[in-house]
């Protein structure tokens, strides 16, 4: 039975989330203080995190960054903020999706189910389809699909699940231009609830990590009016 960690300081909202998820076959635990989240994730295995942005102790943005530095798990942000900059910031830090308050509990359950299925599919594909692939080398960048690792020179880079999937796909198909829509369909799939603009956020995050100068990218190039191309 999938186990969901709910990080929410509003007791009524947290209980509502917990009740609907448990009715639909999930186990849940609730943490109300942001400073306790990482310790809880280290203590017990969870399958997904429902993460509120506004929290005492530590903001949801900071928690998202910390989770991504050490734990591979889907993160669904729950926020009352609807401004594009807040959404982009959350996605840029590694959140997989977001849902705004007030929300329909059935929609929340559907989002959780969708991301758990997607993550299971990604994990299965990673273990099955890349068993034979050892490494891909692009300039000073080394990608190891089998071990799910990326190195920039001697330094290992920490990439969230979808950043790694996106980089791997482009690296396995060098010098081919892919539109944002094509990349979105390939990496996120039709059941994802966001849109192709998500691709741009992840491309920018990748460039910050793998390029010598993210403002003048040499590895992942923008082909204006067409999409993106990885120069192999």
């Amino acid at each position: 039975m999938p186990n969901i960690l709910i990080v929410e300081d509003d007791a009524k909202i947290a209980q509502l989330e917990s009740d609907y998820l448990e009715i639909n076959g999930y186990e849940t635990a609730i943490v109300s203080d942001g400073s306790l989240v990482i310790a809880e994730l280290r203590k017990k295995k969870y399958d997904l995190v429902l993460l509120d942005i506004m929290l005492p102790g530590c903001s949801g943005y900071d928690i998202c960054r910390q989770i991504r530095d050490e734990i591979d798990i889907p993160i669904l942000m729950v926020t009352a903020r609807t401004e594009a900059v807040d959404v982009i910031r959350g996605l840029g830090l590694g959140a997989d999706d977001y849902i705004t308050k007030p929300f329909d509990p059935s929609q929340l359950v559907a989002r959780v189910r969708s991301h758990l299925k997607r993550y299971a599919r990604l994990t299965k594909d990673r273990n099955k389809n890349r068993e034979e692939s050892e490494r891909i080398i692009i300039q000073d960048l080394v990608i190891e699909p089998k071990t799910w690792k990326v190195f920039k020179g001697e330094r290992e880079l920490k990439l969230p699940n979808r950043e790694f999937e996106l980089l791997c796909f482009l690296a396995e198909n060098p010098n081919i231009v892919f539109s944002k829509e094509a990349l979105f369909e390939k990496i996120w799939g039709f059941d994802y609830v966001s849109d192709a603009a998500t691709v741009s956020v992840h491309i920018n995050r990748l460039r910050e990590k793998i390029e010598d100068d993210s403002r003048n990218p040499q590895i992942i190039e923008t082909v204006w009016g067409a999409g993106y191309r990885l120069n192999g």
Side-chain angles (χ1 to χ4, degrees):
M1 184 180 295
N3 202 357
I4 312 300
L5 180 62
I6 298 170
V7 185
E8 171 63 68
D9 64 323
D10 187 314
K12 291 183 178 179
I13 293 177
Q15 194 59 55
L16 176 68
E17 293 172 345
S18 177
D19 289 345
Y20 269 85
L21 287 169
E22 291 186 355
I23 288 171
N24 284 274
Y26 301 101
E27 292 184 1
T28 65
I30 298 172
V31 172
S32 59
D33 189 325
S35 63
L36 303 177
V37 175
I38 299 299
E40 178 65 22
L41 287 170
R42 289 171 178 162
K43 181 176 67 176
K44 185 176 179 180
K45 184 183 182 304
Y46 290 92
D47 299 288
L48 182 143
V49 179
L50 275 180
L51 178 60
D52 187 35
I53 287 182
M54 305 300 291
L55 292 164
C58 187
S59 80
Y61 295 125
D62 291 333
I63 295 168
C64 185
R65 184 185 296 109
Q66 291 176 46
I67 293 174
R68 280 291 169 250
D69 283 343
E70 59 179 282
I71 302 169
D72 184 12
I73 187 173
I75 301 172
L76 176 57
M77 279 193 155
V78 182
T79 174
R81 297 180 172 184
T82 57
E83 291 86 351
V85 65
D86 296 311
V87 172
I88 290 173
R89 184 181 179 191
L91 294 173
L93 290 172
D96 294 278
D97 197 5
Y98 71 95
I99 187 168
T100 55
K101 302 175 185 176
F103 53 81
D104 181 343
S106 61
Q107 183 187 38
L108 176 68
V109 173
R111 297 271 188 103
V112 168
R113 182 180 294 114
S114 173
H115 283 286
L116 287 172
K117 287 171 61 178
R118 177 67 180 170
Y119 180 74
R121 196 158 57 243
L122 285 174
T123 304
K124 182 179 178 180
D125 290 345
R126 176 179 67 190
N127 295 332
K128 179 180 178 181
N129 298 334
R130 289 175 176 155
E131 195 65 31
E132 300 299 323
S133 181
E134 293 297 329
R135 57 172 48 189
I136 304 169
I137 301 175
I138 304 159
Q139 299 180 29
D140 63 344
L141 195 69
V142 178
I143 305 167
E144 297 182 354
K146 187 175 179 180
T147 60
W148 210 247
K149 291 183 178 180
V150 179
F151 296 89
K152 174 76 171 174
E154 298 297 320
R155 179 171 56 92
E156 183 177 355
L157 305 177
K158 298 293 185 181
L159 300 185
N161 220 19
R162 289 204 170 85
E163 282 183 24
F164 184 89
E165 284 285 324
L166 181 57
L167 177 61
C168 241
F169 176 75
L170 290 171
E172 289 168 350
N173 298 276
N175 306 313
I176 299 174
V177 178
F178 293 95
S179 68
K180 288 189 292 186
E181 291 74 18
L183 290 172
F184 182 82
E185 178 183 336
K186 176 64 182 177
I187 305 303
W188 281 264
F190 288 112
D191 58 352
Y192 194 69
V193 294
S194 189
D195 56 43
T198 301
V199 174
S200 299
V201 175
H202 285 74
I203 289 288
N204 289 336
R205 290 289 292 174
L206 273 175
R207 284 171 169 166
E208 291 172 2
K209 297 172 184 177
I210 70 174
E211 300 280 1
D212 293 329
D213 180 0
S214 61
R215 293 168 298 181
N216 183 31
Q218 301 300 309
I219 299 176
I220 300 179
E221 180 183 1
T222 298
V223 180
W224 296 107
Y228 299 102
R229 171 177 61 209
L230 186 140
N231 296 314

